[in-house]
Each structure stands twice: as structure tokens, then as C-alpha cells.
Amino acid sequence: MTEELDLSGHNSDAGSEEVVLTPAELIERLEQAWLNEKFAPELLESRSEIVECVMEQLDHMEDNLRRAKKGDLKVSIHRMEMERIRYVLSSYLRCRLMKIEKFFPHILEKEKTRPEGEPSSLSPEEFAFVKEYMANTETYLKNVALKHMPPNLQKVDLLRSDLDSYVFLRVRERQENILVEPEIDDQRDYVIDLEEGSQHLIRYKTIAPLVASGAVQLI
């Protein structure tokens, strides 16, 4: 496959710049998004434009295989590659859904306070789902448990996140002067440089912006 794919038509932001990728580069972007989502303790920015483009590419590959000569070894190889891509894609979407169900109050609160122009962590479909999930959860808690409790205990704080957890990462682009919080109270903050290709175990919230920018890859 040598054709190029245009991601600009899949992005809801009209001011976004055009990005043209080969199929191999598109799959690499999907795998990067999948690994970051898999190992990050929070819901990352939605990559719906990549998901849509990969689904279109799979349809295109399927059409090509239907026209291929039966018994051709290349057909079996391409089908194996398609199954691998479908696995990565479904795993990525399943991982996002599990995070949405686990951290839905925190995700909605973050969405409410998101500055204008900052990318959303939710696709339109995910946003509709999380609002409905939140409403259903609140109704269930109220009808099953909270209404039977004393008035002063009928409120529950559902907000939670896990940004202090540690993650493994590989540095894709050299970074200088990364501020690291101390592990114990009597230590001071300190800075480190992250060399390209190096691997580290570090607190997620320290490098969250680097994950978003693609400067580091969670592993």
C-alpha cells in the first residue's frame, strides 16, 4: 500500500493543519495512541480522526482482498495484518471505555473546566455516553442506597483520579529541565534531562504534557 491518507477531513477543528500520512504511518500513530492510552492512568485526548481513518483503510484493504486471486499467499498475509490492526483498534477503544466508566465524574468535571480551544479528551460519542452513564449512576445510587441513609450522608463525592501513579516511558524527543517532585517531604524539587531513546520510571503527572505532545511514549 503506497497511497497517502489525509487526516484533516476527519478532524472537527476547522483550523487544524492538514496532515497527510502513508498507511504505515497511520498504523504507527494508532499503535502509539493505543500504548499511551493503555499505560496512562487518565483518559488521554481523543484520537477519533485516527480511528475513523483506520476503519476506512480496513474497508479499503477488504475491498482489495475481495478482488485478489484466490490461493495467493499475499492474501493470507494481508488478512493476518488486518486482524492485527483490528485487535489494536478494538483494544484502544475498549481501554478508553473502561477508563470512562471508572473515572466518569472526574472526566466530566475536567470537560466542564476545559479552556476554550483546548482539545477535548472525549469524542462526541464518548461525551454523550459519559453524560448518560453519569445520570444513570446517580439515579441508581439515589434509589438503591442514598435515600435510605441519614440526610447528612446522602451526598457522595465521585471525583477521583490516579495521576500520582508511576509509568514506564521511552523518550522520543530529547527534553531538558523537567521538574520532578521529591519522593519524601524533606527533599526539594529537582530537574532532570530526558535523553532521546532513554527509558524511565517516573510519576505520570510529571510527564503528562510530554505524553500529549508525543515527546515520550508510554511502554
Side-chain angles (χ1 to χ4, degrees), residues 145-156:
L146 296 181
K147 72 177 183 179
H148 303 294
M149 299 174 70
N152 62 321
L153 297 178
Q154 289 186 5
K155 289 185 179 181
V156 59

Side-chain angles (χ1 to χ4, degrees), residues 19-145:
V19 179
V20 179
L21 303 174
T22 65
E25 290 171 336
L26 175 66
I27 300 308
E28 184 181 357
R29 290 281 187 95
L30 172 64
E31 291 174 342
Q32 182 181 347
W34 170 54
L35 289 174
N36 282 341
E37 196 69 67
K38 185 176 180 180
F39 295 118
E42 67 170 343
L43 187 73
L44 302 179
E45 178 186 344
S46 171
R47 302 295 184 184
S48 56
E49 73 284 356
I50 292 178
V51 170
E52 292 172 17
C53 214
V54 168
M55 292 176 69
E56 289 183 7
Q57 184 63 19
L58 285 171
D59 289 341
H60 179 64
M61 292 172 68
E62 191 68 56
D63 289 340
N64 286 342
L65 290 181
R66 290 194 191 100
R67 295 193 294 268
K69 186 184 299 184
K70 291 185 177 180
D72 190 339
L73 179 61
K74 292 181 180 178
V75 172
S76 299
I77 295 174
H78 281 298
R79 286 217 175 272
M80 289 175 62
E81 176 63 7
M82 288 176 62
E83 290 305 312
R84 187 187 73 84
I85 294 171
R86 286 194 177 103
Y87 169 80
V88 172
L89 182 61
S90 62
S91 179
Y92 170 72
L93 295 174
R94 187 164 56 247
C95 180
R96 288 184 61 81
L97 181 60
M98 289 173 62
K99 286 185 181 180
I100 289 172
E101 292 179 343
K102 184 176 181 181
F103 299 121
F104 62 95
H106 173 74
I107 291 170
L108 275 180
E109 186 65 25
K110 182 180 178 181
E111 189 67 18
K112 290 178 185 177
T113 58
R114 176 171 59 89
E116 186 176 352
E118 182 178 301
S120 173
S121 59
L122 297 167
S123 68
E125 296 80 8
E126 289 171 339
F127 184 61
F129 171 80
V130 74
K131 285 200 301 182
E132 182 178 1
Y133 193 84
M134 177 76 162
N136 291 341
T137 300
E138 288 180 334
T139 300
Y140 177 81
L141 287 175
K142 191 177 297 181
N143 292 337
V144 173

Side-chain angles (χ1 to χ4, degrees), residues 139-203:
T139 300
Y140 177 81
L141 287 175
K142 191 177 297 181
N143 292 337
V144 173
L146 296 181
K147 72 177 183 179
H148 303 294
M149 299 174 70
N152 62 321
L153 297 178
Q154 289 186 5
K155 289 185 179 181
V156 59
D157 184 10
L158 296 174
L159 292 176
R160 58 174 175 171
S161 63
D162 197 18
L163 303 186
D164 283 322
S165 61
Y166 284 79
V167 294
F168 284 99
L169 64 89
R170 180 185 298 112
V171 182
R172 302 178 75 237
E173 301 171 7
R174 188 177 190 275
Q175 303 294 313
E176 297 181 347
N177 300 323
I178 303 300
L179 184 65
V180 178
E181 294 183 0
E183 301 300 323
I184 55 179
D185 292 338
D186 59 353
Q187 284 185 333
R188 294 182 178 180
D189 293 352
Y190 58 96
V191 296
I192 60 173
D193 295 337
L194 302 178
E195 299 296 336
E196 181 179 349
S198 62
Q199 298 183 16
H200 303 267
L201 174 64
I202 198 167
R203 201 189 305 266

